[in-house]
Amino acid sequence: MPVVATHRMADGEYPVLHFFIDFCKSEDGATAVEYGLIVGLISAALIAGAGSISSNINAVFQFIVDTLAS
């Protein structure tokens, strides 16, 4: 089944089709998306780790306060 394009040039070229094919083959934006995903995963890991570490740090400081108070 032939591809139908409405913007046909005089020599039979379909510039919109060529633009779309070139756009699909381009990998320039893919690396930016990959870096964004990596940053998002690292951020999620840091946030999850900070939650568990903060309760441990809180317990240590509370132990220090209780020890100095007695």
Side-chain angles (χ1 to χ4, degrees):
M1 181 181 217
V3 176
V4 178
T6 57
H7 302 293
R8 186 173 180 185
M9 300 191 70
D11 59 353
E13 291 285 323
Y14 296 99
V16 175
L17 180 62
H18 287 290
F19 173 77
F20 181 72
I21 291 171
D22 290 340
F23 180 76
C24 289
K25 288 181 180 179
S26 175
E27 296 182 5
D28 292 339
T31 54
V33 171
E34 290 166 356
Y35 285 135
L37 289 172
I38 291 170
V39 167
L41 288 173
I42 291 172
S43 299
L46 288 175
I47 290 170
S52 65
I53 290 173
S54 69
S55 63
N56 292 339
I57 291 175
N58 233 359
V60 169
F61 282 130
Q62 190 60 44
F63 174 75
I64 293 170
V65 168
D66 292 342
T67 304
L68 292 176
S70 59

